[in-house]
Amino acid sequence: MKRLLNEATAFREEMVEGYVAAYGRYVRRVPGASGIAAVGAPTAGRVGVVVGGGSGHYPAFYGLVGAGMASAGAIGDVFTSPSGEQAYRVAKEVDGGAGILFCFGNYAGDVLNFGMAETRLRAEGIDARTVLVTDDVLSAPPDEAERRRGIAGGFYVFKTAGASAARGDDLATVEALTRRANARVRTVGVAFAGCTIPGQDEPLFTVAPGMMEVGLGIHGEPGIRTQELLPAREIARLLVDALLADAPPDAGSRAAVLVNGLGGTKYEELFVLYRGVAPLLAAAGIEPYEPQIGEFVTALDMTGCSLSLLWLDDDLRTLHDATADTPAYTRIGPDAASAGSRPENIATTGAIGSGTASSAATAAPGDDGGAPGRAGERARAALAGALAAVAAAETELGRIDAAAGDGDHGLGMVRGFRAAVAGVDGFAGTARQSLVRGGTAFQDAAGGASGALVGGWLIALGGALPADDAAVDAAAWGAAVDAGLGAIRRLGGAEPGDKTMVDTLAPFGTALAEAAEGGGDAATAWAAALPAAERGMRATAEMVSKRGRASRLGERSRGHQDAGATSMLYVLRAFGEALAD
Ligand code: ADP
Ligand code: MG
């Protein structure tokens, strides 16, 4: 993977271009967005099923776009959710007038960004709903099953959604069946070696010789626990036992079985594993239904595997069996004859749905007619300073994020601030307008949890400033910082102490308010508040993560400073310098 690369920054784009060039008989690009739509989508009166997430998981997610499966996939950078704007445009492209079902793994960045897309569609009168994939049994206990993350079992959830939509079910039915599939699928996995992001030299984590990680993540997160490496038959037992211990109520005795390779594990090894799995299922009274062995959700070149069971009922079995035809998965079902005679596809210039998507992001936000002055210049200098600061720390931020997350935090912050700076290039408006513009560009470009949160923070920060630059003083910045923190907490739901960027921002906000009361100028108050932000950041090292990817690791997240709390301190420092200028 690392060897077939031009420039690392162009990786996603070039991969999508090559993919569409090869598979144009199934898929096409969504104009003006990083997404893939099925050639036949939208179909009038059919629900649009939109899957998505970061890239690096092929055939999830865009390999499963096509007839009888997903209508479209929204694609982010490697291991990074697409932005809300991208997800919105992709969904618009496949709106056939019967609503949109979003379906993706339960990761903070995806939840935030797809959530913003869903909100926007609804505001336009398009019924949009979401089913989160939560099949990873080891990532949270049964009484917190809704917190679990989504891994290979998502294949069955997408298949159910796609088949239900393709046969013409209405949105409520598609949603209900997709939810049922998610409620009846479970996955557990192990990893033997980490994976390496294109353009980087080191894997995101390493496994000591003779050991394995149990409870793998699919973004190069380490497992939930480390233990001694076992022979294949013992791994089969470990996986089957974990799944059976967590079987859904009224499971029944028939389950579809998926053995998934993570990207760096040979099919032959997976066959050896299945040899051990089959008799254990039989002994537990489970009839394996059409087992599938291969790669369904990968994590770049990670070595490891997972086992998924979907306990079938009659409805789920019918949908499982239905015809599907995508680049990565084809099945000819009993419905094949009728699947060929679908209603007319809608031309992309047609009246319903698509065609308008790429024009959606035109008007520059935040242009409210306020009078520009020094504060506007300072705000733009603050964005430029923040870009320089996160760029200088990109590697460090990536390394901190890799300890408990997925190693992309530095990359995401640089991408975001680069877009923010480009978004105000040549712009001479107020501080308020500049931050709203910059934040909007940040959100669109960055993706991930931090894209939505930091972009939202900038927008809220700007939105709370007075319209005229002349009125921007210490108290105004204090109120803006308050509003920024409020936006992050509303979007992400984090409390102080949850080991996030909130732990830098909350003490900073309190200290800034106190300093502003003292009556100095904005720059003095800001500088006086920075030590509190730094103390907050340092305190995250001893916290256990409760939000975002790192929260799956529980105690294993302790001992490392939080990535977002760290980058936020650098951003605040850069803002302080710009204000003092
Ligand atoms: P991702 O988790 O999508 O890979 P990043 O790695 O860019 O995104 O950002 C991770 C950082 O985002 C974490 O270190 C944490 O500070 C912050 N974060 C994650 N979830 C939340 C949340 N719900 N609220 C506030 N901050 C969060
Ligand atoms: Mg990350």
Side-chain angles (χ1 to χ4, degrees):
M1 167 135 258
K2 289 167 283 176
R3 294 185 185 88
L4 294 176
L5 184 68
N6 298 310
E7 290 73 37
T9 48
F11 185 78
R12 171 185 56 175
E13 183 54 31
E14 294 187 353
M15 160 198 99
V16 171
E17 285 172 13
Y19 181 72
V20 174
Y23 289 121
R25 60 195 187 279
Y26 299 96
V27 294
R28 61 191 171 83
R29 269 201 95 141
V30 176
S34 179
I36 300 285
V39 163
T43 302
R46 297 277 155 91
V47 171
V49 174
V50 177
V51 299
S55 41
H57 303 300
Y58 193 86
F61 301 93
Y62 51 96
L64 303 175
V65 173
M69 284 284 260
S71 320
I75 308 171
D77 278 285
V78 172
F79 294 171
T80 305
S81 76
S83 69
E85 175 71 32
Q86 298 285 331
Y88 164 80
R89 289 189 214 169
V90 169
K92 282 280 279 194
E93 183 70 16
V94 295
D95 170 27
I100 296 289
L101 185 81
F102 287 111
C103 191
F104 51 87
N106 182 25
Y107 296 92
D110 294 296
V111 171
L112 282 165
N113 286 295
F114 282 99
M116 289 197 277
E118 180 185 305
T119 306
R120 251 175 99 179
L121 292 171
R122 288 186 170 202
E124 291 178 12
I126 297 172
D127 196 353
R129 308 189 189 180
T130 294
V131 176
L132 294 177
V133 179
T134 55
D135 58 313
D136 180 3
V137 297
L138 292 185
S139 60
D143 56 334
E144 296 174 34
E146 73 291 341
R147 277 188 54 234
R148 289 174 173 173
R149 61 191 173 189
I151 50 176
F155 170 82
Y156 287 129
V157 186
F158 304 150
K159 175 72 173 75
T160 303
S164 170
R167 73 180 180 189
D169 292 348
D170 64 14
L171 182 59
T173 307
V174 176
E175 182 194 4
L177 288 165
T178 307
R179 258 184 222 299
R180 199 195 301 170
N182 183 60
R184 295 177 69 90
V185 70
R186 304 282 190 279
T187 301
V188 61
V190 293
F192 311 118
C195 54
T196 307
I197 302 239
Q200 297 193 356
D201 299 326
E202 297 294 322
L204 285 167
F205 70 92
T206 52
V207 183
M211 304 297 284
M212 65 180 185
E213 297 277 329
V214 180
L216 62 90
I218 54 167
H219 304 94
E221 309 96 323
I224 306 297
R225 63 168 200 266
T226 306
Q227 71 163 66
E228 205 175 298
L229 181 61
L230 301 170
R233 76 177 73 84
E234 298 295 325
I235 293 178
R237 180 174 299 281
L238 184 155
L239 300 178
V240 170
D241 284 352
L243 292 178
L244 295 183
D246 206 86
D250 60 41
S253 61
R254 180 186 286 153
V257 184
L258 190 86
V259 176
N260 177 60
L262 266 297
T265 297
K266 287 293 302 171
Y267 280 58
E268 285 82 348
E269 296 174 74
L270 301 176
F271 299 149
V272 171
L273 179 74
Y274 187 72
R275 175 186 175 275
V277 166
L280 293 171
L281 291 177
I286 292 177
E287 175 197 337
Y289 187 74
E290 297 200 4
Q292 299 191 79
I293 300 177
E295 292 182 347
F296 294 87
V297 177
T298 59
L300 293 173
D301 54 348
M302 182 151 129
T303 320
C305 60
S306 64
L307 177 68
S308 305
L309 292 182
L310 168 68
W311 280 271
L312 293 165
D313 59 19
D314 289 344
D315 293 334
L316 293 180
R317 190 174 127 191
T318 301
L319 296 167
H320 172 281
D321 290 354
T323 296
D325 192 20
T326 78
Y329 177 76
T330 295
R331 188 188 201 289
I332 297 175
D335 60 334
S338 61
S341 62
R342 300 224 166 106
E344 284 296 290
N345 299 326
I346 300 166
T348 43
T349 49
I352 305 175
S354 68
T356 53
S358 49
S359 62
T362 41
D367 295 344
D368 51 13
R374 277 291 286 142
E377 288 167 28
R378 290 196 177 105
R380 290 188 292 279
L383 293 176
L387 170 59
V390 295
E394 182 176 344
T395 310
E396 179 206 355
L397 293 173
R399 192 167 34 75
I400 303 178
D401 188 32
D406 57 352
D408 65 347
H409 186 64
L411 237 144
M413 292 295 281
V414 170
R415 194 164 43 226
F417 275 111
R418 194 172 283 145
V421 169
V424 297
D425 185 37
F427 180 67
T430 60
R432 173 191 173 118
Q433 294 161 353
S434 299
L435 291 177
V436 171
R437 272 184 179 230
T440 305
F442 190 115
Q443 262 189 348
D444 185 17
S450 58
L453 294 168
V454 178
W457 178 72
L458 290 169
I459 294 170
L461 202 63
L465 286 175
D468 291 332
D469 271 358
V472 176
D473 56 10
W477 276 113
V481 164
D482 237 29
L485 175 63
I488 288 190
R489 294 190 54 180
R490 245 188 337 275
L491 275 167
E495 304 282 330
D498 285 355
K499 193 175 180 113
T500 69
M501 51 184 80
V502 166
D503 292 305
T504 301
L505 275 172
F508 178 76
T510 309
L512 182 66
E514 277 170 22
E517 266 174 35
D521 64 5
T524 313
W526 198 282
L530 281 173
E534 182 170 348
R535 281 194 296 279
M537 172 197 78
R538 292 200 187 290
T540 61
E542 282 317 306
M543 294 175 186
V544 172
S545 173
K546 303 225 177 51
R547 294 277 160 190
R549 285 186 207 293
S551 63
R552 322 289 174 181
L553 296 192
E555 279 297 325
R556 274 187 104 174
S557 67
R558 205 194 289 276
H560 306 278
Q561 198 166 294
D562 177 63
T566 308
S567 64
M568 189 48 90
L569 178 71
Y570 299 162
V571 170
L572 292 176
R573 280 189 185 145
F575 270 60
E577 280 169 28
L579 291 185
D581 215 8

Short mmCIF file of all heavy atoms in Angstrom, two decimals, residues 401 406-409 549, ligand 2:
data_model
loop_
_atom_site.label_atom_id
_atom_site.label_comp_id
_atom_site.label_asym_id
_atom_site.label_seq_id
_atom_site.Cartn_x
_atom_site.Cartn_y
_atom_site.Cartn_z
N ASP A 401 -2.43 11.23 19.15
CA ASP A 401 -3.73 10.65 18.77
C ASP A 401 -3.61 9.14 18.57
O ASP A 401 -4.54 8.39 18.86
CB ASP A 401 -4.24 11.33 17.50
CG ASP A 401 -5.67 10.95 17.15
OD1 ASP A 401 -6.47 10.69 18.08
OD2 ASP A 401 -5.99 10.88 15.96
N ASP A 406 -6.66 7.29 16.43
CA ASP A 406 -6.28 6.72 15.15
C ASP A 406 -5.16 7.48 14.44
O ASP A 406 -4.88 7.21 13.28
CB ASP A 406 -7.50 6.66 14.24
CG ASP A 406 -8.11 8.03 14.05
OD1 ASP A 406 -7.67 8.96 14.74
OD2 ASP A 406 -9.01 8.16 13.22
N GLY A 407 -4.53 8.43 15.12
CA GLY A 407 -3.32 9.01 14.57
C GLY A 407 -3.51 10.09 13.51
O GLY A 407 -2.55 10.53 12.91
N ASP A 408 -4.75 10.52 13.30
CA ASP A 408 -4.97 11.46 12.20
C ASP A 408 -5.21 12.90 12.68
O ASP A 408 -5.56 13.76 11.88
CB ASP A 408 -6.17 11.02 11.36
CG ASP A 408 -7.47 11.07 12.16
OD1 ASP A 408 -7.40 11.21 13.40
OD2 ASP A 408 -8.53 10.97 11.54
N HIS A 409 -5.03 13.14 13.95
CA HIS A 409 -5.45 14.45 14.46
C HIS A 409 -4.62 15.60 13.89
O HIS A 409 -5.17 16.65 13.54
CB HIS A 409 -5.43 14.47 15.99
CG HIS A 409 -5.98 15.74 16.55
ND1 HIS A 409 -7.29 16.10 16.37
CD2 HIS A 409 -5.40 16.75 17.24
CE1 HIS A 409 -7.49 17.29 16.93
NE2 HIS A 409 -6.37 17.69 17.46
N ARG A 549 -13.15 8.33 19.74
CA ARG A 549 -12.60 7.00 19.54
C ARG A 549 -11.92 6.44 20.75
O ARG A 549 -12.01 5.26 21.05
CB ARG A 549 -11.49 7.07 18.49
CG ARG A 549 -11.94 7.23 17.14
CD ARG A 549 -10.72 7.13 16.26
NE ARG A 549 -10.92 7.88 15.04
CZ ARG A 549 -11.78 7.55 14.12
NH1 ARG A 549 -12.53 6.49 14.27
NH2 ARG A 549 -11.92 8.28 13.04
MG MG B 2 -8.19 10.78 15.30
#
